[in-house]
Amino acid sequence: MKQSFFTIVGFLFIVFTASEVNSQSYTKQELRDSIAKLPYFSIHKDNYFITGVPTNKTINKNTANAKYQISFKQILTRSRLPLDTYLFMTYTQRSFWNIYKESFPFSDINFNPSIALGKAFFDKNDKLKGIANLSFEHESNGRDSIFSRSWNRLSLEYTTNVAKNTIGRFKVWVPFGYKEGNPDLLEYTGLGQINLSHIIKPDKFFFDVRVRKGLNFDLKGSIRTRVYFNPFDNNISNQYLMLEWFLGQAEGMLNYKQSQSMIRIGYVIRTNEFRWLGGK
């Protein structure tokens, strides 16, 4: 895992430092007008169904699986609250499905509801610089006894353009209520994550990476890389094929200590939650 970690980090440094900051930004009024036209109910994170195999162990019906995610967002108020914020709630469910086994059992299902405040930040020329979200999140696998896994966290995420066609999402959290079922969880999830998304060709080809680092001075943590490709001509919808490689721990909550190296491919409805930061 150590060699793979530094190979990926080196590649990312080349990809994400090769261009200038995107100068096409929304003004404060343009952003307000855009938010006013948004539907109250929309996609939050990617919605997908992907399947694949491990790269660090024997491939068979017990190690291959499918993973899918359902995620949505509900705006609770469009009227501006104090400090020019708006209120919304989200729900994300991620499931690991052993579709190659008899009876097709689910090995783990993770539930992640939240309620959050969002706020946009602008420069002195009233151009959009970034969007911040302050959230209260709960995440659990809905099980009891020795199989119970859960934690709560107060998280702060800031999303901004970090280079031309590259959006960075920087998230930190203060965890609580996790010590009973998974007291060493933070050794694998850490206290935050970095997510970088690079537009290689608009509406056609994207590259995305998320990095987490555990609390200790070791290589516990995870790297998740994704490539999105739209194979259809004249199709500017948010439907793509996605290739994902996950390397590390805590992909799911039940076996968060287990090291994984899984490569999967499938169908995704890609979120465009931060479309304003992609330029006009």
Side-chain angles (χ1 to χ4, degrees), residues 69 107 172:
Q69 179 168 282
S107 60
V172 295

Side-chain angles (χ1 to χ4, degrees), residues 14-30:
I14 294 171
V15 170
F16 292 111
T17 59
S19 39
E20 299 175 356
V21 173
N22 192 336
S23 61
Q24 286 188 309
S25 299
Y26 277 70
T27 65
K28 183 178 292 188
Q29 189 57 51
E30 286 174 334

Side-chain angles (χ1 to χ4, degrees), residues 179-217:
K179 293 188 177 181
E180 185 168 342
N182 30 249
D184 56 352
L185 179 65
L186 299 185
E187 294 181 20
Y188 303 88
T189 64
L191 295 175
Q193 65 186 35
I194 296 173
N195 199 113
L196 298 173
S197 182
H198 184 68
I199 303 170
I200 299 172
K201 186 175 182 180
D203 301 314
K204 197 72 175 177
F205 197 19
F206 296 82
F207 179 80
D208 183 276
V209 62
R210 190 200 71 187
V211 179
R212 287 181 174 180
K213 175 65 185 72
L215 284 183
N216 297 332
F217 293 102

Side-chain angles (χ1 to χ4, degrees), residues 117-144:
L117 280 173
K119 178 177 173 58
F121 290 87
F122 301 87
D123 62 19
K124 61 182 180 181
N125 297 316
D126 271 350
K127 295 288 188 178
L128 179 64
K129 291 199 305 182
I131 298 172
N133 292 326
L134 178 64
S135 308
F136 169 73
E137 298 185 69
H138 170 77
E139 188 172 9
S140 68
N141 65 350
R143 301 177 70 172
D144 59 9

